[in-house]
Amino acid sequence: MRYLQRRTIMSDTNWNNGHYYGKAYPKIGMKLAREIATITYRSGPEWDMRFGRNRIDPSSQPSLCPNFMIENYLDYQGEAFCTKFDPNSLLYISKAMDLFDISEDFGSMKAGLSRIKCPVLILGVQTDILFPIWQQRELARELHEAGNKAVTFYELNSIFGHDTFLLDLNGVGAAVKGFLETNLAKKDTDGEHKKR
């Protein structure tokens, strides 16, 4: 998905190979990139429940313009975001995310993950298509196998997909609170043992 977002920005003639400052802004590319991203922030069931096949105006004839409420929503999200973020910054952050590989300098993922010694909370959402739950489970397992015994994996059952982190304050908050309290209690217990 990030690749497609980058392509839409770079295909906008106003992107001008990144030299758009003080010139025409690549608004269409940014708008389309945001629309693509917006699709990945929620789950299919949530989109269906929220919009279904509801039309903007049921009495209007079909056209190539937005007919469905979901199209109108994506259009709005693209328009609202397209001038709020620098296109080149988005391109480089997006590419850096794709290029990151913890195993790259250490020979393997296990060797890279073995360097993480602190307690880790991995919080995943069953309906997240941007960072699928199977990847979160795998990361928790890999961290544990690499020697980190302080790995907490918490799986949220939410219809909101990736945006659960913004919308399910109770679920996310409970997971973070539990993780912090458990690790603070363990730290206090470890400190008491060291004093003896």
Side-chain angles (χ1 to χ4, degrees), residues 18 28 33 36 38 52 55-56 60 72 92 118 121 126 128-130 148 167 183 185-187 193:
I28 293 171
I36 291 168
T38 300
R55 292 179 180 255
I56 298 166
S60 69
N72 194 52
Y92 281 100
C118 63
L121 169 64
Q126 292 174 352
D128 191 338
I129 61 172
L130 192 57
N148 191 331
L167 300 170
N183 284 292
K186 184 176 179 340
K187 186 176 179 182
H193 290 303

Side-chain angles (χ1 to χ4, degrees), residues 180-194:
L180 293 174
E181 287 175 349
T182 300
N183 284 292
L184 285 174
K186 184 176 179 340
K187 186 176 179 182
D188 288 343
T189 304
D190 290 347
E192 286 300 316
H193 290 303
K194 288 179 183 174

Side-chain angles (χ1 to χ4, degrees), residues 9-10 29 43 59 86-87 90 100 109-110 112 125 130 133 140:
I9 294 168
M10 295 167 68
S43 71
S59 64
D86 177 63
L90 182 59
F100 177 76
M109 182 181 285
K110 187 173 184 177
V125 180
L130 192 57
I133 194 68

Side-chain angles (χ1 to χ4, degrees), residues 6-27 29 87-88 91:
R6 291 192 300 268
R7 292 285 300 182
T8 61
I9 294 168
M10 295 167 68
S11 295
D12 186 324
T13 54
N14 289 336
W15 180 63
N16 193 29
N17 291 319
H19 302 285
Y20 53 84
Y21 301 102
K23 299 175 184 170
Y25 182 82
K27 183 178 177 181
N88 283 336
L91 290 172

Side-chain angles (χ1 to χ4, degrees), residues 6 15 87-99:
R6 291 192 300 268
W15 180 63
N88 283 336
S89 296
L90 182 59
L91 290 172
Y92 281 100
I93 289 169
S94 168
K95 189 66 173 186
M97 290 173 72
D98 284 352
L99 289 172

Side-chain angles (χ1 to χ4, degrees), residues 9 14 20 37 57 67 69 71 75 78 95 101 111 135 148 155 160 186:
I9 294 168
N14 289 336
Y20 53 84
D57 179 1
N67 289 109
M69 294 297 293
E71 294 172 321
D75 183 67
K95 189 66 173 186
D101 181 354
Q135 289 178 343
N148 191 331
E155 185 170 319
F160 298 118
K186 184 176 179 340

Side-chain angles (χ1 to χ4, degrees), residues 40-83:
T40 70
Y41 297 155
R42 301 291 180 97
S43 71
E46 197 258 345
W47 288 125
D48 189 49
M49 187 173 76
R50 191 166 168 195
F51 297 105
R53 293 188 49 79
N54 295 331
R55 292 179 180 255
I56 298 166
D57 179 1
S59 64
S60 69
Q61 292 295 312
S63 71
L64 293 177
C65 296
N67 289 109
F68 295 98
M69 294 297 293
I70 183 70
E71 294 172 321
N72 194 52
Y73 177 78
L74 292 173
D75 183 67
Y76 170 80
Q77 290 298 319
E79 189 66 36
F81 177 81
C82 68
T83 58

